[in-house]
Amino acid sequence: MAARMPLPTDFRTYRGRLAPSPTGWLHLGHARTFWLAQERAAAAGGALILRSDDLDGARCRAEFSAGMLEDLRWLGLRWSEGPDCGGRHAPYVQSARLAEYRAAFAKLRALGAVYPCDCSRQDVLRALGAPHAGEEEPVYPGTCRGKGEGRRAKGEINWRFRVPDGEVISFTDCALGPHAEMAGREFGDFLVWRKDGFPSYQLACVVDDAAMGITEVVRGADLLTSTCRQLLLYRALGLAAPAFHHAPLMTDVNGLRLAKRDGATSLRGLRAAGATPEEVRARF
Ligand code: GLU
């Protein structure tokens, strides 16, 4: 019998995740990225975790929460931890994890890494001389930086992370290779806590990916800039960042990104039209 090689001391089992938001029906683009995540987890002999990113109270619906799990299972995706099957990092639903986000936010406040901001999105766009919002979050011009914490002792207010202007944030993407963006130029001070009492996507994502021991995040290339923001949060919170694999976005015949509101490419719509999981996967 061959001698067993000792495992390297930094050995960590691959843990990937699917993090859909129940804000609409999942489409082919989500399905393709999730399928890739499953393949990467399987190739590494690792685990796949499903987390429901349901913090957008205005847009999330119970119907979509149940529907997305059902559609993903129908397609052939399988996970070993999730809202439907539990696991040692439960709960796998972001709306049930608020205490974790509050603790991380308190840490950022104690570090002086965040500041309160009462600018509306319109204020930001006006200050930038850009009345029309683009797809990417506008670079915050720093209007409320340095105004101090005491301004709004009571009442709710948004909180932003102060990015290190001029620092180049870089990482090696598993799919795209080296990627670098300059803080303060490609992205600015971003929201970490919203005045409605909920964390931003950036904070919740970092807190959960770290708490759930995720070793590689597979997601769409539209989140490359968010990865740079999130790397700053990992650093500030003293958490180890996972590896990242950004997948190309799927477009329609007109070259436009697929959207949840477009029924033609939703898994729900394709199923209703009689497509089989194999036919759907053949379109990836
Ligand atoms: N729930 C987020 C989304 O659907 C997850 C993004 C991510 O993978 O980090 O966009």
Side-chain angles (χ1 to χ4, degrees), residues 13 19 52 58 65 91 122 128 130 135 141 149 168 170 201 224 232 250 263 278-279 282:
T13 307
S52 176
S65 292
Q122 274 316 311
L128 293 170
E135 275 228 336
E149 280 220 12
V168 175
S170 61
Y201 153 69
L224 272 167
L232 289 173
M250 218 169 176
E278 294 72 26
E279 284 164 353

Side-chain angles (χ1 to χ4, degrees), residues 17 19 21 53 201 205 219 223:
R17 48 66 151 188
S21 294
D53 285 2
Y201 153 69
C205 183
R219 60 185 174 198
L223 290 167

Side-chain angles (χ1 to χ4, degrees), residues 1 4 7 12 18 38 56 65 84 90 97 116 118 130 142 159 161 164 178 194 199 208 227-228 252 258 267:
M1 206 167 99
R4 249 208 221 144
L7 292 174
R12 289 166 82 199
L18 313 174
Q38 173 161 280
D56 185 345
S65 292
D84 53 337
R97 303 179 60 83
D118 53 14
W159 289 75
F161 184 88
R194 307 193 320 225
D208 285 346
T227 295
C228 295
D252 64 14
L258 303 186
L267 296 182

Side-chain angles (χ1 to χ4, degrees), residues 42-272:
L48 196 59
I49 287 93
L50 190 136
R51 182 178 78 227
S52 176
D53 285 2
D54 66 340
L55 287 178
D56 185 345
R59 290 165 64 225
C60 289
R61 297 208 323 238
E63 179 194 5
F64 295 140
S65 292
M68 69 189 188
L69 298 191
E70 205 187 287
D71 287 346
L72 293 176
R73 241 183 264 118
W74 170 81
L75 186 68
L77 283 155
R78 298 291 179 266
W79 48 91
S80 53
E81 297 170 41
D84 53 337
C85 52
R88 74 195 158 93
H89 298 286
Y92 293 91
V93 174
Q94 288 196 321
S95 57
R97 303 179 60 83
L98 289 174
E100 311 241 6
Y101 311 136
R102 281 194 201 103
F105 174 52
K107 185 164 180 189
L108 292 173
R109 272 186 80 165
L111 290 167
V114 293
Y115 62 89
C117 170
D118 53 14
C119 296
S120 67
R121 190 171 164 82
Q122 274 316 311
D123 291 336
V124 174
L125 292 172
R126 228 176 288 121
L128 293 170
H132 302 296
E135 275 228 336
E136 205 17 85
E137 170 93 23
V139 177
Y140 182 66
T143 320
C144 292
R145 257 192 190 192
K147 282 189 181 169
E149 280 220 12
R151 277 180 312 139
R152 187 81 62 99
K154 286 199 213 84
E156 301 305 329
I157 194 162
N158 289 321
W159 289 75
R160 289 184 186 272
F161 184 88
R162 187 182 296 105
V163 305
D165 285 342
E167 184 179 330
V168 175
I169 312 302
S170 61
F171 65 98
T172 302
D173 189 86
C174 301
L176 307 173
H179 181 83
E181 296 191 33
M182 188 187 278
R185 194 178 68 188
E186 264 106 343
F187 64 95
D189 295 352
F190 56 89
L191 286 185
V192 290
W193 201 262
R194 307 193 320 225
K195 61 181 175 200
D196 60 4
F198 287 90
S200 68
Y201 153 69
Q202 312 293 352
L203 182 64
C205 183
V206 164
V207 168
D208 285 346
D209 285 341
M212 295 177 179
I214 302 303
T215 60
E216 183 181 83
V217 167
V218 177
R219 60 185 174 198
D222 54 330
L223 290 167
L224 272 167
T225 299
S226 278
T227 295
C228 295
R229 297 182 181 105
Q230 291 175 16
L231 286 172
L232 289 173
L233 285 177
Y234 281 106
R235 187 170 77 184
L237 291 167
L239 298 169
F244 293 93
H245 182 114
H246 289 86
L249 296 185
M250 218 169 176
T251 50
D252 64 14
V253 283
N254 301 313
L256 297 173
R257 262 173 71 173
L258 303 186
K260 277 186 175 158
R261 57 188 173 276
D262 170 15
T265 62
S266 74
L267 296 182
R268 237 339 108 116
L270 292 165
R271 269 178 85 176

